[in-house]
Amino acid sequence: MISTTGKKIMLRIALCDDEAASRETLFIQLEKLLDEETEQVVYEFSSGASAANWLKKHPAEIDLLFLDVEMPGINGMETAEIIRGFDQNLLIVFVTGYAEYVFDGYRVGALDYLVKPANEEKLRILLERVRKILSEKTEEAFLVKNTDGIYRFALKDILYFYSDRRKVILVTAR
């Protein structure tokens, strides 16, 4: 994706669903719609607990999370509530076979809600919305790439940088 300023926008996606077949179906659908140069599914989780734990340890490494609502243990809504406790910026889209949960997504600031299996046209429209949101955010972000991955920091959250020997340290309030 190229922003209005001509810069490439990176889109990193994670899938969280306890059913491997559902993750595979969504992965295949997304693969058809993503720009292979700049957009990719980078992580898959089989439980809400593993997704929340990993995301807490890797802030801003994922831009978009497709999250199943019905999972054993911590369900998708509970997972989203945990994630919102430490990350207000992650775009969350619920994916489920149960339409009755659609209004619960508003509590956790979900971007959208897809019913399984996701309709390709609705998925395409959703990805366009995500690209637009990220394009706007990228104008106000600082990207850092290191051996652990790519991280996006909002300029407003950066307090300062300092150098220690051969390392540059970025400091935020978190």
Side-chain angles (χ1 to χ4, degrees):
M1 165 83 197
I2 299 179
S3 74
T4 54
T5 61
K7 296 178 187 173
K8 291 253 183 184
I9 303 293
M10 300 286 294
L11 172 57
R12 295 148 317 182
I13 301 169
L15 311 178
C16 181
D17 195 316
D18 60 311
E19 298 173 3
S22 293
R23 286 193 313 271
E24 182 68 21
T25 300
L26 183 55
F27 182 91
I28 290 168
Q29 288 177 300
L30 285 168
E31 204 171 40
K32 294 178 205 172
L33 300 170
L34 297 177
D35 176 336
E36 63 185 53
E37 258 186 69
T38 59
E39 301 172 338
Q40 60 184 336
V41 175
V42 291
Y43 293 101
E44 291 186 28
F45 304 100
S46 59
S47 75
S50 64
N53 290 336
W54 189 90
L55 289 165
K56 188 169 188 169
K57 292 175 187 169
H58 300 88
E61 193 164 332
I62 298 299
D63 302 305
L64 174 61
L65 174 64
F66 286 93
L67 182 59
D68 184 23
V69 174
E70 285 293 316
M71 293 185 288
I74 299 173
N75 71 30
M77 286 298 161
E78 294 165 332
T79 301
E81 288 171 358
I82 292 167
I83 291 168
R84 286 297 181 236
F86 59 83
D87 188 341
Q88 293 295 315
N89 298 317
L90 179 65
L91 299 173
I92 298 174
V93 174
F94 287 110
V95 184
T96 187
Y98 305 95
E100 66 266 16
Y101 294 107
V102 69
F103 295 109
D104 292 337
Y106 292 112
R107 275 185 321 162
V108 293
L111 178 65
D112 210 335
Y113 190 96
L114 299 174
V115 177
K116 292 179 188 177
N119 172 293
E120 188 171 326
E121 181 61 15
K122 187 166 182 182
L123 196 54
R124 187 189 60 71
I125 292 167
L126 171 72
L127 287 172
E128 286 302 319
R129 284 178 54 209
V130 167
R131 290 172 182 130
K132 184 175 190 277
I133 290 167
L134 288 179
S135 178
E136 291 166 0
K137 281 185 180 180
T138 299
E139 299 301 317
E140 303 166 0
F142 183 80
L143 287 166
V144 176
K145 184 175 182 179
N146 65 20
T147 56
D148 294 329
I150 299 172
Y151 299 90
R152 181 179 289 126
F153 294 92
L155 291 177
K156 66 179 177 54
D157 294 339
I158 298 172
L159 299 176
Y160 58 90
F161 294 87
Y162 70 91
S163 176
D164 182 16
R165 297 181 193 109
R166 295 170 48 113
K167 285 186 180 179
V168 175
I169 314 307
L170 179 148
V171 179
T172 67
R174 290 191 340 194

